[in-house]
Amino acid sequence: MAELVYPPVVLTCKAMLRALDVKLDIQGTEHIPRHGGAVIACTHQSYLDFIFCGLGAQPAKRLVRFMAKREVFASRISGPLMRGMRHISVDRDAGKQSYDEAVRRLRVGEVVGVFPEATISRSFTVKELKSGAVRMAVDAGVPIVPMAVWGTQRFWTKGRPKNLTQRHVPVSILVGEPMTPDSDASVDEATTQLRSRMQQLLDTAQAGYPEPPENDAAPWWLPAHLGGSAPTPEEAAELDRRRPE
Protein backbone atom coordinates (compact mmCIF):
# COMPACT_ATOMS: atom_id res chain seq x y z
CA MET A 1 0.00 0.00 0.00
CA ALA A 2 1.36 3.40 -1.01
CA GLU A 3 2.40 5.74 1.79
CA LEU A 4 0.52 8.93 0.89
CA VAL A 5 0.27 10.53 4.34
CA TYR A 6 3.24 9.48 6.46
CA PRO A 7 6.14 10.87 4.34
CA PRO A 8 4.64 14.39 4.06
CA VAL A 9 4.00 14.41 7.81
CA VAL A 10 7.64 13.46 8.45
CA LEU A 11 8.84 16.24 6.14
CA THR A 12 6.58 18.74 7.89
CA CYS A 13 7.89 17.74 11.31
CA LYS A 14 11.49 18.03 10.14
CA ALA A 15 10.80 21.48 8.71
CA MET A 16 9.24 22.64 11.99
CA LEU A 17 12.22 21.36 13.97
CA ARG A 18 14.61 23.16 11.63
CA ALA A 19 12.61 26.37 12.03
CA LEU A 20 12.93 26.07 15.81
CA ASP A 21 16.60 25.11 15.49
CA VAL A 22 16.08 22.01 17.62
CA LYS A 23 19.50 20.46 18.25
CA LEU A 24 18.92 16.80 17.42
CA ASP A 25 21.47 14.22 18.52
CA ILE A 26 20.56 10.76 17.21
CA GLN A 27 22.78 7.82 18.10
CA GLY A 28 22.63 4.05 17.65
CA THR A 29 20.35 3.91 14.62
CA GLU A 30 22.38 0.99 13.28
CA HIS A 31 20.51 -1.12 15.84
CA ILE A 32 17.16 -0.67 14.08
CA PRO A 33 16.57 -3.55 11.64
CA ARG A 34 16.46 -2.39 8.01
CA HIS A 35 14.00 -5.12 7.17
CA GLY A 36 11.45 -7.22 9.03
CA GLY A 37 9.32 -6.63 12.06
CA ALA A 38 10.53 -5.06 15.29
CA VAL A 39 9.08 -3.46 18.41
CA ILE A 40 10.56 -0.10 19.40
CA ALA A 41 10.13 0.42 23.15
CA CYS A 42 10.69 4.08 23.97
CA THR A 43 10.88 6.13 27.16
CA HIS A 44 8.07 8.60 27.75
CA GLN A 45 8.53 12.11 29.17
CA SER A 46 6.53 14.20 26.72
CA TYR A 47 3.35 14.31 24.68
CA LEU A 48 5.62 14.74 21.64
CA ASP A 49 7.77 11.64 22.14
CA PHE A 50 6.17 9.79 19.24
CA ILE A 51 7.52 12.41 16.84
CA PHE A 52 11.10 12.00 18.04
CA CYS A 53 10.86 8.23 18.38
CA GLY A 54 9.71 8.12 14.77
CA LEU A 55 12.58 10.38 13.72
CA GLY A 56 14.97 7.98 15.43
CA ALA A 57 13.94 5.31 12.92
CA GLN A 58 14.32 7.54 9.88
CA PRO A 59 18.03 6.80 9.24
CA ALA A 60 17.02 3.12 8.93
CA LYS A 61 14.30 4.19 6.46
CA ARG A 62 11.58 2.70 8.67
CA LEU A 63 8.15 4.12 9.34
CA VAL A 64 6.98 3.37 12.87
CA ARG A 65 3.34 2.42 13.50
CA PHE A 66 2.51 3.67 16.97
CA MET A 67 -0.06 2.26 19.34
CA ALA A 68 -2.20 5.16 20.60
CA LYS A 69 -5.41 5.48 22.56
CA ARG A 70 -8.57 5.55 20.48
CA GLU A 71 -9.44 9.11 21.61
CA VAL A 72 -6.61 10.36 19.40
CA PHE A 73 -8.20 8.61 16.43
CA ALA A 74 -11.61 10.07 17.27
CA SER A 75 -10.35 13.65 16.97
CA ARG A 76 -11.39 15.54 13.83
CA ILE A 77 -7.85 16.91 13.55
CA SER A 78 -5.54 14.06 14.53
CA GLY A 79 -7.83 11.18 13.58
CA PRO A 80 -7.43 11.38 9.77
CA LEU A 81 -3.66 11.73 10.15
CA MET A 82 -3.41 8.76 12.51
CA ARG A 83 -5.45 6.57 10.20
CA GLY A 84 -3.55 7.81 7.14
CA MET A 85 -0.25 6.89 8.79
CA ARG A 86 -1.72 3.49 9.70
CA HIS A 87 -1.08 3.78 13.42
CA ILE A 88 -2.85 1.33 15.72
CA SER A 89 -5.86 2.39 17.77
CA VAL A 90 -5.94 1.09 21.33
CA ASP A 91 -9.30 0.62 23.03
CA ARG A 92 -8.55 -0.06 26.67
CA ASP A 93 -11.90 -1.83 27.00
CA ALA A 94 -11.03 -4.14 24.10
CA GLY A 95 -7.27 -4.40 24.36
CA LYS A 96 -6.95 -7.81 22.74
CA GLN A 97 -8.10 -6.46 19.38
CA SER A 98 -5.36 -3.79 19.24
CA TYR A 99 -2.79 -6.26 20.60
CA ASP A 100 -3.66 -8.79 17.88
CA GLU A 101 -3.44 -6.07 15.23
CA ALA A 102 0.02 -5.06 16.45
CA VAL A 103 1.22 -8.68 16.34
CA ARG A 104 -0.19 -9.05 12.83
CA ARG A 105 1.68 -5.92 11.70
CA LEU A 106 4.90 -7.22 13.22
CA ARG A 107 4.54 -10.58 11.49
CA VAL A 108 4.24 -8.90 8.07
CA GLY A 109 7.44 -6.96 8.71
CA GLU A 110 6.34 -3.61 10.12
CA VAL A 111 7.91 -1.68 12.99
CA VAL A 112 5.54 -1.02 15.90
CA GLY A 113 6.30 1.71 18.43
CA VAL A 114 5.16 1.43 22.04
CA PHE A 115 5.67 3.38 25.24
CA PRO A 116 5.70 0.53 27.76
CA GLU A 117 5.52 2.90 30.73
CA ALA A 118 1.94 3.52 29.47
CA THR A 119 1.88 7.11 30.73
CA ILE A 120 4.32 10.00 30.86
CA SER A 121 6.91 9.82 33.63
CA ARG A 122 6.68 12.98 35.73
CA SER A 123 9.97 12.09 37.46
CA PHE A 124 11.87 11.82 34.16
CA THR A 125 13.08 8.36 35.12
CA VAL A 126 11.79 5.07 33.67
CA LYS A 127 8.64 3.88 35.41
CA GLU A 128 7.67 0.25 35.84
CA LEU A 129 6.84 -1.22 32.45
CA LYS A 130 3.77 -2.99 31.20
CA SER A 131 4.57 -6.40 29.73
CA GLY A 132 2.80 -5.89 26.40
CA ALA A 133 5.91 -4.96 24.42
CA VAL A 134 7.66 -8.16 25.42
CA ARG A 135 4.60 -10.34 24.89
CA MET A 136 3.93 -9.06 21.38
CA ALA A 137 7.60 -9.45 20.42
CA VAL A 138 7.51 -13.06 21.62
CA ASP A 139 4.22 -13.78 19.84
CA ALA A 140 5.44 -12.26 16.58
CA GLY A 141 8.99 -13.64 16.82
CA VAL A 142 10.65 -10.23 16.41
CA PRO A 143 13.27 -8.26 18.37
CA ILE A 144 12.64 -5.37 20.75
CA VAL A 145 14.71 -2.24 20.18
CA PRO A 146 15.01 -0.07 23.32
CA MET A 147 15.09 3.68 22.79
CA ALA A 148 15.38 6.76 24.99
CA VAL A 149 14.46 10.32 24.10
CA TRP A 150 15.53 13.23 26.26
CA GLY A 151 14.81 16.96 26.13
CA THR A 152 11.31 16.60 24.69
CA GLN A 153 9.75 17.32 28.09
CA ARG A 154 10.90 20.92 27.74
CA PHE A 155 8.27 21.41 25.02
CA TRP A 156 5.25 19.72 26.59
CA THR A 157 4.82 17.34 29.50
CA LYS A 158 2.44 16.52 32.32
CA GLY A 159 1.75 19.29 34.80
CA ARG A 160 3.55 21.99 32.82
CA PRO A 161 2.31 24.55 30.27
CA LYS A 162 3.27 23.60 26.75
CA ASN A 163 5.85 25.71 24.97
CA LEU A 164 5.96 24.61 21.35
CA THR A 165 7.75 27.68 20.01
CA GLN A 166 10.93 27.77 22.11
CA ARG A 167 14.09 27.60 20.06
CA HIS A 168 17.50 25.91 20.27
CA VAL A 169 16.35 23.08 22.57
CA PRO A 170 18.68 20.05 22.46
CA VAL A 171 16.92 16.71 22.02
CA SER A 172 18.75 13.39 22.33
CA ILE A 173 17.54 10.14 20.76
CA LEU A 174 19.51 7.04 21.76
CA VAL A 175 18.84 3.60 20.29
CA GLY A 176 20.07 0.48 22.06
CA GLU A 177 20.98 -3.00 20.89
CA PRO A 178 18.00 -5.21 20.06
CA MET A 179 16.95 -7.89 22.48
CA THR A 180 15.08 -11.01 21.41
CA PRO A 181 13.01 -12.39 24.28
CA ASP A 182 13.11 -16.17 24.58
CA SER A 183 9.64 -17.68 24.36
CA ASP A 184 10.64 -20.07 27.15
CA ALA A 185 11.81 -17.29 29.47
CA SER A 186 9.69 -15.37 31.94
CA VAL A 187 7.88 -12.37 30.46
CA ASP A 188 8.44 -10.56 33.76
CA GLU A 189 12.20 -11.19 33.61
CA ALA A 190 12.39 -9.94 30.03
CA THR A 191 10.34 -6.86 30.93
CA THR A 192 12.70 -6.13 33.83
CA GLN A 193 15.66 -6.46 31.48
CA LEU A 194 14.01 -4.12 28.97
CA ARG A 195 13.40 -1.51 31.66
CA SER A 196 17.06 -1.73 32.72
CA ARG A 197 18.22 -1.15 29.14
CA MET A 198 15.86 1.78 28.68
CA GLN A 199 17.06 3.35 31.94
CA GLN A 200 20.69 2.90 30.91
CA LEU A 201 19.99 4.69 27.63
CA LEU A 202 18.18 7.48 29.45
CA ASP A 203 21.04 7.82 31.94
CA THR A 204 23.48 8.12 29.03
CA ALA A 205 21.33 10.74 27.31
CA GLN A 206 21.01 12.75 30.52
CA ALA A 207 24.74 12.53 31.27
CA GLY A 208 25.64 13.79 27.79
CA TYR A 209 23.05 16.55 27.66
CA PRO A 210 24.29 20.16 27.54
CA GLU A 211 24.63 21.73 30.98
CA PRO A 212 21.76 23.99 32.10
CA PRO A 213 22.49 27.73 32.39
CA GLU A 214 24.15 28.83 35.62
CA ASN A 215 21.08 30.89 36.59
CA ASP A 216 18.90 27.79 36.23
CA ALA A 217 20.67 25.52 38.69
CA ALA A 218 17.60 23.40 39.48
CA PRO A 219 15.54 23.33 36.28
CA TRP A 220 12.14 21.68 36.46
CA TRP A 221 13.01 19.43 33.51
CA LEU A 222 15.86 17.62 35.29
CA PRO A 223 15.15 14.60 37.53
CA ALA A 224 15.63 15.02 41.25
CA HIS A 225 18.65 12.68 41.39
CA LEU A 226 20.49 15.02 39.00
CA GLY A 227 19.71 18.13 41.03
CA GLY A 228 16.56 19.13 39.21
CA SER A 229 13.23 20.06 40.74
CA ALA A 230 11.19 17.30 39.06
CA PRO A 231 9.31 15.10 41.53
CA THR A 232 10.98 11.94 42.77
CA PRO A 233 9.56 8.65 41.43
CA GLU A 234 7.61 8.25 44.67
CA GLU A 235 6.22 11.79 44.49
CA ALA A 236 5.38 11.29 40.81
CA ALA A 237 3.47 8.09 41.60
CA GLU A 238 1.44 9.96 44.19
CA LEU A 239 0.71 12.77 41.71
CA ASP A 240 -0.45 10.20 39.17
CA ARG A 241 -2.81 8.74 41.75
CA ARG A 242 -4.23 12.15 42.67
CA ARG A 243 -4.24 13.76 39.21
CA PRO A 244 -4.33 11.12 36.47
CA GLU A 245 -4.18 12.59 32.96
Side-chain angles (χ1 to χ4, degrees):
M1 184 183 297
E3 297 286 353
L4 301 179
V5 178
Y6 213 143
V9 169
V10 171
L11 290 175
T12 300
C13 288
K14 288 181 176 179
M16 293 175 61
L17 296 179
R18 284 196 299 270
L20 294 173
D21 193 29
V22 173
K23 308 296 187 182
L24 281 178
D25 178 23
I26 306 176
Q27 300 180 33
T29 57
E30 69 275 8
H31 297 310
I32 297 177
R34 267 49 179 177
H35 307 282
V39 176
I40 292 182
C42 188
T43 59
H44 203 12
Q45 289 95 38
S46 167
Y47 293 107
L48 304 180
D49 286 337
F50 69 97
I51 294 175
F52 293 92
C53 178
L55 288 176
Q58 280 290 294
K61 303 187 185 305
R62 304 304 302 267
L63 297 177
V64 183
R65 314 298 179 181
F66 287 98
M67 301 185 74
K69 59 185 179 180
R70 67 174 180 174
E71 288 83 358
V72 180
F73 288 79
S75 166
R76 289 183 299 172
I77 298 174
S78 61
L81 289 174
M82 296 296 284
R83 289 188 289 274
M85 290 185 283
R86 306 212 301 270
H87 295 312
I88 302 168
S89 176
V90 177
D91 182 348
R92 293 180 179 176
D93 295 326
K96 186 177 186 306
Q97 183 177 349
S98 55
Y99 177 89
D100 290 345
E101 175 62 14
V103 171
R104 184 190 70 80
R105 301 281 194 95
L106 291 166
R107 286 174 175 165
V108 299
E110 294 198 353
V111 176
V112 173
V114 297
F115 298 99
E117 296 167 89
T119 58
I120 288 172
S121 171
R122 299 176 191 258
S123 68
F124 308 138
T125 61
V126 180
K127 300 167 63 174
E128 294 298 321
L129 306 187
K130 305 295 184 183
S131 62
V134 169
R135 289 188 291 108
M136 69 175 62
V138 170
D139 286 350
V142 301
I144 302 176
V145 181
M147 181 184 288
V149 295
W150 181 245
T152 55
Q153 74 278 13
R154 297 175 66 179
F155 291 108
W156 190 12
T157 191
K158 271 187 177 181
R160 301 287 306 186
K162 60 185 173 184
N163 186 351
L164 304 179
T165 59
Q166 61 179 317
R167 294 171 54 80
H168 318 304
V169 174
V171 172
S172 303
I173 305 169
L174 272 63
V175 185
E177 294 184 6
M179 55 180 284
T180 303
D182 188 335
S183 58
D184 296 327
S186 162
V187 168
D188 289 342
E189 289 178 2
T191 301
T192 298
Q193 181 184 8
L194 174 61
R195 180 177 181 269
S196 176
R197 292 195 183 193
M198 292 170 64
Q199 185 63 62
Q200 288 172 7
L201 289 170
L202 186 60
D203 290 342
T204 300
Q206 291 170 341
Y209 198 71
E211 291 294 324
E214 290 183 4
N215 62 353
D216 195 13
W220 63 263
W221 48 264
L222 267 183
H225 72 274
L226 292 180
S229 58
T232 65
E234 295 76 20
E235 292 168 340
E238 180 59 27
L239 285 170
D240 284 341
R241 282 191 289 270
R242 296 196 334 246
R243 300 200 300 266
E245 296 179 22

